[in-house]
Amino acid sequence: PVEIAFFDVDETLITVKSMFRFLEFHYRERGLPPSAYEEAAGALRSRSTAGVSRLVTNREYYRLFADRPREELFSHGRAWFAAELAGGTLLHQPVVSALRRHQAQGALIVLVSGSFRPCLEPVAELLGADEILCSEPEYVGGYCTGLVERPVIGVEKGRLARALMRRRAVSPTHAAAY
Protein backbone atom coordinates (compact mmCIF):
# COMPACT_ATOMS: atom_id res chain seq x y z
CA PRO A 1 0.00 0.00 0.00
CA VAL A 2 1.10 3.56 -0.73
CA GLU A 3 1.73 5.46 2.51
CA ILE A 4 3.06 8.70 0.98
CA ALA A 5 2.09 10.15 -2.40
CA PHE A 6 4.31 12.96 -3.72
CA PHE A 7 2.88 15.32 -6.33
CA ASP A 8 4.79 17.82 -8.42
CA VAL A 9 2.56 20.87 -8.88
CA ASP A 10 3.36 22.88 -12.03
CA GLU A 11 2.14 21.20 -15.20
CA THR A 12 1.28 18.10 -13.14
CA LEU A 13 -1.42 18.87 -10.56
CA ILE A 14 -2.09 22.21 -12.22
CA THR A 15 -1.91 22.92 -15.91
CA VAL A 16 0.25 26.06 -15.70
CA LYS A 17 3.65 27.18 -14.41
CA SER A 18 2.60 28.85 -11.17
CA MET A 19 5.76 30.91 -10.78
CA PHE A 20 5.36 32.79 -14.08
CA ARG A 21 1.58 33.11 -13.84
CA PHE A 22 1.85 34.38 -10.26
CA LEU A 23 4.58 36.86 -11.17
CA GLU A 24 2.42 38.30 -13.95
CA PHE A 25 -0.57 38.57 -11.58
CA HIS A 26 1.55 40.06 -8.79
CA TYR A 27 3.00 42.74 -11.06
CA ARG A 28 -0.47 43.60 -12.37
CA GLU A 29 -1.84 43.85 -8.80
CA ARG A 30 1.00 46.21 -7.93
CA GLY A 31 0.00 48.43 -10.84
CA LEU A 32 3.12 47.74 -12.86
CA PRO A 33 2.80 47.87 -16.65
CA PRO A 34 2.70 44.60 -18.62
CA SER A 35 6.16 45.47 -19.92
CA ALA A 36 7.58 45.02 -16.39
CA TYR A 37 6.43 41.40 -16.36
CA GLU A 38 7.60 40.82 -19.94
CA GLU A 39 11.03 42.20 -19.08
CA ALA A 40 11.42 40.09 -15.90
CA ALA A 41 10.06 36.87 -17.42
CA GLY A 42 12.00 37.44 -20.64
CA ALA A 43 15.25 37.88 -18.73
CA LEU A 44 14.70 34.61 -16.84
CA ARG A 45 13.82 32.74 -20.04
CA SER A 46 16.83 34.20 -21.87
CA ARG A 47 19.17 33.14 -19.08
CA SER A 48 17.71 29.65 -19.16
CA THR A 49 18.05 29.48 -22.96
CA ALA A 50 21.66 30.63 -22.61
CA GLY A 51 22.36 27.59 -20.43
CA VAL A 52 22.20 29.17 -16.97
CA SER A 53 21.20 26.44 -14.53
CA ARG A 54 17.67 26.19 -13.15
CA LEU A 55 19.17 26.52 -9.67
CA VAL A 56 20.53 29.96 -10.56
CA THR A 57 17.45 31.16 -12.46
CA ASN A 58 15.20 29.96 -9.63
CA ARG A 59 17.19 32.09 -7.19
CA GLU A 60 16.99 35.02 -9.62
CA TYR A 61 13.20 34.60 -9.74
CA TYR A 62 12.90 35.04 -5.97
CA ARG A 63 15.06 38.17 -6.08
CA LEU A 64 12.17 39.77 -7.97
CA PHE A 65 10.23 39.76 -4.68
CA ALA A 66 12.91 41.48 -2.58
CA ASP A 67 11.44 44.08 -0.25
CA ARG A 68 7.84 42.96 -0.85
CA PRO A 69 5.70 42.43 2.25
CA ARG A 70 5.10 38.78 3.12
CA GLU A 71 1.39 39.45 3.61
CA GLU A 72 1.16 41.03 0.16
CA LEU A 73 2.70 37.95 -1.45
CA PHE A 74 0.31 35.60 0.37
CA SER A 75 -2.69 37.81 -0.36
CA HIS A 76 -1.75 37.97 -4.04
CA GLY A 77 -1.20 34.20 -4.03
CA ARG A 78 -4.77 33.57 -2.84
CA ALA A 79 -6.21 36.06 -5.32
CA TRP A 80 -4.11 34.61 -8.16
CA PHE A 81 -5.24 31.07 -7.34
CA ALA A 82 -8.92 32.08 -7.15
CA ALA A 83 -8.68 33.80 -10.54
CA GLU A 84 -6.91 30.83 -12.14
CA LEU A 85 -9.38 28.37 -10.61
CA ALA A 86 -12.33 30.41 -11.87
CA GLY A 87 -11.03 29.89 -15.42
CA GLY A 88 -12.02 26.22 -15.11
CA THR A 89 -8.88 24.69 -16.59
CA LEU A 90 -6.35 25.03 -13.77
CA LEU A 91 -6.55 21.55 -12.27
CA HIS A 92 -5.19 18.59 -14.21
CA GLN A 93 -8.06 16.23 -13.51
CA PRO A 94 -6.34 12.84 -14.12
CA VAL A 95 -3.66 13.73 -11.55
CA VAL A 96 -6.24 15.16 -9.11
CA SER A 97 -8.12 11.85 -9.44
CA ALA A 98 -4.94 9.94 -8.54
CA LEU A 99 -4.45 12.24 -5.54
CA ARG A 100 -8.05 11.57 -4.42
CA ARG A 101 -7.52 7.79 -4.72
CA HIS A 102 -4.41 7.98 -2.55
CA GLN A 103 -6.24 10.18 -0.02
CA ALA A 104 -9.12 7.72 0.17
CA GLN A 105 -6.61 4.96 0.93
CA GLY A 106 -5.09 7.00 3.77
CA ALA A 107 -1.83 8.08 2.12
CA LEU A 108 -0.03 11.22 3.22
CA ILE A 109 -0.36 13.73 0.36
CA VAL A 110 2.75 15.85 -0.24
CA LEU A 111 3.14 18.66 -2.77
CA VAL A 112 6.70 19.11 -4.08
CA SER A 113 7.56 22.23 -6.03
CA GLY A 114 10.17 24.83 -6.88
CA SER A 115 7.40 27.36 -6.40
CA PHE A 116 6.69 28.95 -3.01
CA ARG A 117 3.99 28.97 -0.36
CA PRO A 118 2.01 31.98 -1.63
CA CYS A 119 1.21 29.92 -4.75
CA LEU A 120 1.12 26.48 -3.14
CA GLU A 121 -0.88 26.92 0.05
CA PRO A 122 -4.15 27.58 -1.80
CA VAL A 123 -3.55 24.45 -3.93
CA ALA A 124 -2.82 22.40 -0.79
CA GLU A 125 -5.92 23.71 0.96
CA LEU A 126 -8.22 22.98 -1.98
CA LEU A 127 -6.89 19.47 -2.47
CA GLY A 128 -6.36 18.63 1.20
CA ALA A 129 -2.63 18.03 0.90
CA ASP A 130 -0.88 17.24 4.17
CA GLU A 131 2.55 18.77 3.52
CA ILE A 132 4.31 21.12 1.14
CA LEU A 133 7.99 20.74 0.22
CA CYS A 134 8.90 23.92 -1.65
CA SER A 135 11.32 26.78 -2.12
CA GLU A 136 11.29 28.92 1.01
CA PRO A 137 12.37 32.51 0.45
CA GLU A 138 13.70 34.32 3.49
CA TYR A 139 11.51 36.86 5.26
CA VAL A 140 12.91 39.38 7.72
CA GLY A 141 10.67 41.79 9.59
CA GLY A 142 7.70 40.77 7.46
CA TYR A 143 9.46 41.45 4.15
CA CYS A 144 10.92 39.10 1.57
CA THR A 145 14.68 39.49 1.29
CA GLY A 146 14.70 37.91 -2.18
CA LEU A 147 17.04 35.17 -0.96
CA VAL A 148 16.28 31.48 -1.02
CA GLU A 149 18.85 29.14 0.46
CA ARG A 150 17.72 25.94 -1.24
CA PRO A 151 15.51 26.14 -4.31
CA VAL A 152 13.45 22.95 -4.50
CA ILE A 153 14.33 21.88 -8.02
CA GLY A 154 16.06 18.90 -9.55
CA VAL A 155 17.87 16.68 -7.06
CA GLU A 156 16.61 18.78 -4.13
CA LYS A 157 13.09 17.45 -4.70
CA GLY A 158 14.33 13.89 -4.30
CA ARG A 159 16.46 14.78 -1.30
CA LEU A 160 13.51 16.33 0.51
CA ALA A 161 11.22 13.42 -0.40
CA ARG A 162 13.73 10.88 0.93
CA ALA A 163 14.20 12.91 4.12
CA LEU A 164 10.43 12.97 4.69
CA MET A 165 10.22 9.20 4.11
CA ARG A 166 12.99 8.69 6.67
CA ARG A 167 11.26 10.94 9.22
CA ARG A 168 8.00 9.08 8.69
CA ALA A 169 9.72 5.67 8.58
CA VAL A 170 8.18 4.91 5.19
CA SER A 171 9.99 2.71 2.70
CA PRO A 172 10.28 4.07 -0.85
CA THR A 173 8.46 0.90 -1.92
CA HIS A 174 5.40 2.37 -0.13
CA ALA A 175 5.60 5.74 -1.87
CA ALA A 176 4.26 7.04 -5.16
CA ALA A 177 5.38 10.09 -7.11
CA TYR A 178 3.68 12.06 -9.84
Side-chain angles (χ1 to χ4, degrees):
V2 171
E3 296 177 42
I4 298 181
F6 295 97
F7 289 87
D8 185 51
V9 178
D10 290 359
E11 300 181 309
T12 302
L13 264 177
I14 64 174
T15 58
V16 299
K17 291 182 186 246
S18 65
M19 294 167 68
F20 281 103
R21 296 289 279 259
F22 172 77
L23 182 64
E24 183 176 24
F25 182 91
H26 173 69
Y27 276 19
R28 190 169 52 248
E29 289 295 296
R30 288 176 52 200
L32 298 174
S35 60
Y37 167 74
E38 292 304 327
E39 183 180 321
L44 290 170
R45 288 184 179 114
S46 293
R47 304 257 301 135
S48 181
T49 301
V52 175
S53 78
R54 287 182 61 216
L55 186 69
V56 170
T57 58
N58 190 275
R59 283 193 169 108
E60 290 171 352
Y61 172 84
Y62 289 109
R63 282 193 207 112
L64 297 171
F65 300 105
D67 302 321
R68 299 312 306 169
R70 182 183 190 281
E71 288 310 311
E72 174 189 78
L73 295 174
F74 279 83
S75 171
H76 287 180
R78 291 190 183 289
W80 163 78
F81 183 73
E84 291 278 359
L85 197 57
T89 60
L90 180 63
L91 299 176
H92 190 218
Q93 290 303 329
V95 182
V96 171
S97 294
L99 182 148
R100 296 289 184 222
R101 282 192 304 276
H102 287 298
Q103 268 176 329
Q105 295 165 358
L108 186 77
I109 303 300
V110 182
L111 305 186
V112 185
S113 178
S115 191
F116 65 142
R117 289 185 185 276
C119 297
L120 299 171
E121 283 185 3
V123 177
E125 289 169 13
L126 177 73
L127 298 176
D130 300 295
E131 293 203 31
I132 301 170
L133 304 176
C134 66
S135 296
E136 301 277 4
E138 176 184 71
Y139 296 95
V140 173
Y143 289 83
C144 185
T145 66
L147 301 176
V148 60
E149 187 177 325
R150 276 195 184 142
V152 179
I153 56 173
V155 297
E156 187 65 11
K157 287 181 178 182
R159 191 191 72 72
L160 289 174
R162 286 187 301 278
L164 179 60
M165 286 185 284
R166 279 192 303 276
R167 281 195 310 278
R168 297 281 186 147
V170 173
S171 165
T173 60
H174 291 139
Y178 294 82

